[in-house]
Amino acid sequence: MTFKDLGLSDAILKAVEEKGYTKPSPIQEKAIPHILNGKDLLASAQTGTGKTAGFTLPVLNYLVATKHPKYRPLRALVLTPTRELAAQVYDNVREYSKYVNIKSAVIFGGVNAKPQIATLKRGVDILVATPGRLLDLHDQKAVSFKRVDVLILDEADRMLDMGFVRDINKIMSFMPVKRQNLMFSATFSKDIKQLAAGILRNPVEVETAPQNSTAKKVTHNVYQVDKGKKTEFTIKLIKDNNWKQVLIFTRTKHGANKLTKKLIQAGISSAAIHGNKSQGARTKALQNFKDNTIKILVATDIAARGLDIPLLPNVINFELPNVPEDYVHRIGRTGRAGAAGEAISLVCSEETEYQNEIEKLLKQKIKSTVVEGFEPTDTAPPKRAATSKKSFGKKKGGGNSGNKSAGTSASQKRKPHFKGNKPKPATGRGRSGAPKKRR
Ligand code: ADP
Ligand code: MG
């Protein structure tokens, strides 16, 4: 199957070819024909499988084929949950529409609205936007949805998580009833289906990955480390392995800032990306990370969601997410486009329950290792005792330059993370014998 077989126009095929795509990805192969047929669609495929082109190419094709010779009303609207994702989808739209007479624009909050209003005034065929700013501009009459005949919800699951349903419904209320609706999501939950039921009409459902499955080529590894030792452990992991491009997830914005600061102090170039950073800082951090100006990007779940960071060999979960689905999204950042990847999670005793939930979702046990010098000593604490302990100041050996640490088991093809060789497979969760308390 080629892109040409799918029935896309030559001008679009040319742009696709320039991107270097040789054939459609499975989700593209499944979704594009239905979209070209004008069907409503609910599509799910894991992160990094080319969903963006999956909707952009056929929608562009449609816009070109049905273009009014004189007017340029807004006819296709792509809603995304985050600013970064909007910017990224827009970049794609621009690339794919390089050889057609279609105007696109992107709208999101956190930046000056004036240029956005000016762009909208000049006329746009396809708009990529986050819901909040879009509604603002609609209130100001800077944009009309009256001629929109294709609505696309990208990362619909995250839109749900972020509470955008009301905004989406409001936006839809300004649109013609007769239109095509497309929903894309990395996961298919009951909630997503429910949302879909309220938006899509007789939709075709396409799915290319088993529910919530993660990329096959991703290996999962857990290191049991006390909370207070995670930073030191992370630095060692990066330095010992000489990693050049690592995405690290923290659960909180504050945690992201704190870790970034420590990494920089340790001489590892890093930046944080999260909701409290200005749009400029976020864009710059992502760009620097992509072009290898910095080695480490520390991100919260929401900030990282959907970002197109190609071919990341390593993702570190500095903390496990408390929503197991977020683990799937996080590690969607590694092993993309068929390349091998590795997801490493640093798990302290408090997080045991999260690990259980994740394993349930993945339907697999994650290999768990204790590294010499970083043996966990914390027991599952009462909820509020979340501070690191003074006694950790006493080093038992190991440390940043320690070589005596354990690697991964021999059964794994991957090379161990540490130069040492005494593997010490964990006997249980947390410290062996530690109570497995629910939080
Ligand atoms: P998703 O939305 O499913 O997470 P993206 O649309 O962001 O995935 O695409 C992930 C990456 O794959 C991007 O770098 C994109 O350029 C690339 N890509 C998309 N379609 C193809 C294709 N047919 N062949 C090769 N690479 C592709
Ligand atoms: Mg996407």
Side-chain angles (χ1 to χ4, degrees):
M1 174 76 77
T2 63
F3 279 105
K4 202 180 168 75
D5 297 334
L6 291 173
L8 297 166
S9 73
D10 287 345
I12 289 169
L13 291 174
K14 191 174 166 195
V16 167
E17 196 181 326
E18 269 185 25
K19 283 287 283 177
Y21 306 165
T22 49
K23 61 181 177 58
S25 69
I27 192 68
Q28 291 164 357
E29 204 173 307
K30 282 192 177 174
I32 290 174
H34 295 299
I35 301 176
L36 287 173
N37 270 336
K39 297 290 290 182
D40 276 16
L41 180 87
L42 179 55
S44 142
Q46 64 194 63
T47 309
T49 52
K51 292 190 286 298
T52 318
F55 60 78
T56 305
L57 300 178
V59 168
L60 285 173
N61 204 90
Y62 164 78
L63 291 175
V64 174
T66 55
K67 202 171 159 346
H68 193 283
K70 285 205 195 111
Y71 306 105
R72 207 185 275 283
L74 177 64
R75 291 196 295 142
L77 176 63
V78 185
L79 293 178
T80 73
T82 66
R83 301 161 186 184
E84 282 80 11
L85 194 59
Q88 206 168 281
V89 169
Y90 172 61
D91 283 346
N92 277 282
V93 170
R94 274 216 330 216
E95 287 174 324
Y96 302 138
S97 60
K98 201 166 157 189
Y99 299 107
V100 294
N101 178 17
I102 290 294
K103 288 218 169 112
S104 54
V106 63
I107 299 286
F108 48 73
V111 295
N112 189 351
K114 282 215 177 92
Q116 298 179 344
I117 294 171
T119 305
L120 289 170
K121 263 208 180 117
R122 286 195 292 273
V124 165
D125 299 286
I126 175 167
L127 181 63
V128 185
T130 53
R133 173 62 62 91
L134 183 65
L135 276 171
D136 278 357
L137 296 188
H138 186 266
D139 285 350
Q140 298 177 40
K141 309 240 180 300
V143 61
S144 162
F145 304 138
K146 286 196 178 123
R147 299 286 298 275
V148 170
D149 52 11
V150 192
L151 172 67
I152 301 118
L153 302 185
D154 192 20
E155 306 269 359
D157 41 0
R158 181 53 50 140
M159 301 255 248
L160 265 180
D161 294 349
M162 290 174 71
F164 281 135
V165 174
R166 272 181 62 135
D167 285 352
I168 294 169
N169 283 332
K170 192 159 177 206
I171 290 168
M172 287 196 308
S173 73
F174 300 117
M175 290 180 180
V177 177
K178 197 173 162 292
R179 56 166 200 270
Q180 186 177 23
N181 302 287
L182 312 172
M183 252 173 82
F184 284 77
S185 171
T187 52
F188 253 169
S189 61
K190 270 202 199 106
D191 290 344
I192 278 288
K193 295 221 171 179
Q194 210 178 346
L195 177 71
I199 297 177
L200 310 175
R201 284 180 315 156
N202 302 322
V204 179
E205 289 186 17
V206 296
E207 198 173 356
T208 58
Q211 222 169 348
N212 294 325
S213 80
T214 55
K216 289 250 163 44
K217 287 186 179 174
V218 175
T219 11
H220 308 259
N221 275 305
V222 157
Y223 285 105
Q224 291 175 24
V225 195
D226 281 340
K227 191 166 178 169
K229 285 239 173 179
K230 282 187 175 183
T231 302
E232 191 188 335
F233 188 85
T234 305
I235 292 168
K236 176 177 168 56
L237 204 52
I238 295 165
K239 286 194 168 170
D240 279 9
N241 292 286
N242 196 17
W243 281 335
K244 302 267 192 287
Q245 205 183 27
V246 187
L247 180 62
I248 304 183
F249 286 95
T250 60
R251 219 155 45 204
T252 65
K253 299 167 193 171
H254 176 64
N257 286 340
K258 221 167 90 180
L259 177 62
T260 305
K261 208 170 139 195
K262 295 274 186 198
L263 290 173
I264 293 170
Q265 278 168 8
I268 302 168
S269 54
S270 313
I273 187 164
H274 55 66
N276 284 359
K277 295 267 177 188
S278 72
Q279 187 53 39
R282 287 155 76 169
T283 310
K284 187 166 161 241
L286 183 61
Q287 198 46 51
N288 286 344
F289 183 61
K290 280 188 180 179
D291 64 24
N292 293 306
T293 312
I294 55 167
K295 283 186 185 171
I296 314 294
L297 190 64
V298 185
T300 55
D301 287 290
I302 285 175
R305 174 70 192 211
L307 293 184
D308 179 24
I309 302 161
L311 300 173
L312 273 189
N314 304 97
V315 166
I316 300 177
N317 298 307
F318 190 79
E319 286 130 359
L320 284 181
N322 45 14
V323 181
E325 281 80 7
D326 278 345
Y327 181 87
V328 176
H329 292 306
R330 287 180 177 190
I331 66 146
R333 314 261 63 87
T334 185
R336 290 164 81 86
E342 178 166 35
I344 291 171
S345 304
L346 313 188
V347 177
C348 67
S349 53
E350 290 171 37
E351 296 169 294
T352 301
E353 194 52 40
Y354 299 154
Q355 187 181 341
N356 292 340
E357 298 291 328
I358 290 164
E359 288 177 338
K360 248 189 253 161
L361 181 73
L362 295 177
K363 296 197 179 68
Q364 87 182 66
K365 283 272 170 204
I366 302 177
K367 206 182 78 70
S368 197
T369 309
V370 171
V371 168
E372 208 174 309
F374 290 91
E375 293 86 351
T377 57
D378 280 351
T379 51
K383 264 183 197 156
R384 49 180 280 277
T387 49
S388 59
K389 296 184 182 164
K390 296 279 180 290
S391 59
F392 290 157
K394 262 196 275 162
K395 271 196 193 161
K396 285 189 216 150
N400 283 358
S401 56
N403 256 4
K404 313 183 271 180
S405 39
T408 49
S409 84
S411 66
Q412 273 193 296
K413 275 176 246 136
R414 271 162 192 287
K415 64 177 189 328
H417 294 136
F418 299 109
K419 290 155 194 159
N421 51 14
K422 275 185 286 167
K424 216 187 231 185
T427 47
R429 295 292 169 58
R431 186 174 59 147
S432 67
K436 290 181 188 175
K437 277 199 189 138
R438 276 197 168 264
R439 298 183 76 227

